[in-house]
Amino acid sequence: MRKRGDIDFSAIVANKKFPILTLDSRWHELFPDEKKTFVIKEKEKQLNNLLKKQGKLNNDIKESKKLKKVFISDIISNMDTQDEKKSKFYDKRLKKNRDYINELNKKIEEASEELENIPDKIQKANEELLLESIKYCYKKFHNNQKELAEISQWILDTREELKEKILKKHDIETANKAIYSNMHDILGPEIIDIFDSIQDSSVGE
């Protein structure tokens, strides 16, 4: 039989599709903050940072494209200016707009290239967090099973002890009844009443 410690969890989860753990409510239910180990917290932080970076890059590309459209629209709207003075002004403006567009193109290209690598990094970080989560859960499950077996055994032992105590209690009660009955018959009710009153007063002290 294969031991739990011999299981290669990394080989099992490698290159398989899993939900992003930090976005999954079931993972958060398994791991409230007080149950997270230091390693799990670090892996969670790495994954969340990558997700934030992905969101920022997407947003930067979107905003850059939106701004690029504004500059292109401005260029198009001022292409047919006939006024010479205005033409010189718009030539300078056109150059600036083109410079801005080139900068935006560069920014979009760099962000897009960086964005291409993010999904793989997210998957790797998610797998690392998953591995730590699996190790913790299996260890906890194993410890719970061990404790459960101990509790079950304690219940069985206690049940047997309880049976013995109940039988002993019954035997003692039966013996006391026999003692009292025989003494009552031998001594008579008056003497027994005297002894009972003495016994009751001594118990109260």
Side-chain angles (χ1 to χ4, degrees), residues 1 17 24 33 37 55 68 79-80 85-86 126 140 142 170 191:
M1 185 177 176
K17 292 287 183 182
D24 195 308
D33 284 339
T37 64
K68 182 180 168 183
M79 282 179 66
D80 298 325
K85 287 183 180 179
K86 285 185 177 180
N126 195 51
K140 184 67 178 173
H142 176 74
H170 181 265
I191 301 297

Side-chain angles (χ1 to χ4, degrees), residues 81 83-93:
T81 303
D83 189 306
E84 190 175 338
K85 287 183 180 179
K86 285 185 177 180
S87 181
K88 286 180 181 179
F89 170 77
Y90 284 119
D91 281 346
K92 288 181 181 179
R93 185 164 171 171

Side-chain angles (χ1 to χ4, degrees), residues 13 16-28 30 47 51 122-131 133:
V13 304
K16 290 186 174 64
K17 292 287 183 182
F18 296 102
I20 301 297
L21 296 183
T22 56
L23 302 179
D24 195 308
S25 60
R26 295 166 297 181
W27 184 81
H28 286 286
L30 277 171
L47 178 55
L51 291 170
I122 288 174
Q123 183 177 347
K124 186 173 183 297
N126 195 51
E127 282 182 6
E128 288 178 2
L129 178 58
L130 181 62
L131 283 172
S133 301

Side-chain angles (χ1 to χ4, degrees), residues 46-60:
Q46 290 171 14
L47 178 55
N48 282 337
N49 284 341
L50 284 168
L51 291 170
K52 286 175 186 176
K53 191 172 186 180
Q54 185 182 50
K56 185 179 183 304
L57 287 169
N58 278 320
N59 190 62
D60 287 348

Side-chain angles (χ1 to χ4, degrees), residues 139-194:
K139 184 178 179 182
K140 184 67 178 173
F141 184 81
H142 176 74
N143 290 340
N144 284 348
Q145 288 290 87
K146 186 179 177 182
E147 187 177 0
L148 187 62
E150 289 172 357
I151 291 171
S152 297
Q153 187 60 50
W154 178 86
I155 290 171
L156 286 173
D157 293 343
T158 305
R159 191 177 291 161
E160 289 302 314
E161 187 180 348
L162 181 62
K163 285 180 183 177
E164 290 175 10
K165 294 289 185 186
I166 289 170
L167 290 172
K168 189 172 182 180
K169 176 177 178 287
H170 181 265
D171 289 345
I172 291 171
E173 287 173 343
T174 302
N176 272 355
K177 283 180 181 177
I179 290 168
Y180 192 85
S181 178
N182 287 327
M183 286 183 68
H184 188 279
D185 291 345
I186 294 169
L187 300 174
E190 290 182 11
I191 301 297
I192 284 296
D193 286 343
I194 293 169

Side-chain angles (χ1 to χ4, degrees), residues 38-84:
F38 174 79
V39 177
I40 285 176
K41 284 181 180 178
E42 286 298 302
K43 298 294 181 185
E44 178 187 22
K45 186 178 176 181
Q46 290 171 14
L47 178 55
N48 282 337
N49 284 341
L50 284 168
L51 291 170
K52 286 175 186 176
K53 191 172 186 180
Q54 185 182 50
K56 185 179 183 304
L57 287 169
N58 278 320
N59 190 62
D60 287 348
I61 291 169
K62 183 181 175 182
E63 291 300 315
S64 294
K65 285 181 177 179
K66 190 188 293 184
L67 193 56
K68 182 180 168 183
K69 282 183 181 179
V70 173
F71 290 128
I72 291 172
S73 178
D74 187 67
I75 290 172
I76 293 170
S77 63
N78 294 294
M79 282 179 66
D80 298 325
T81 303
Q82 301 298 322
D83 189 306
E84 190 175 338

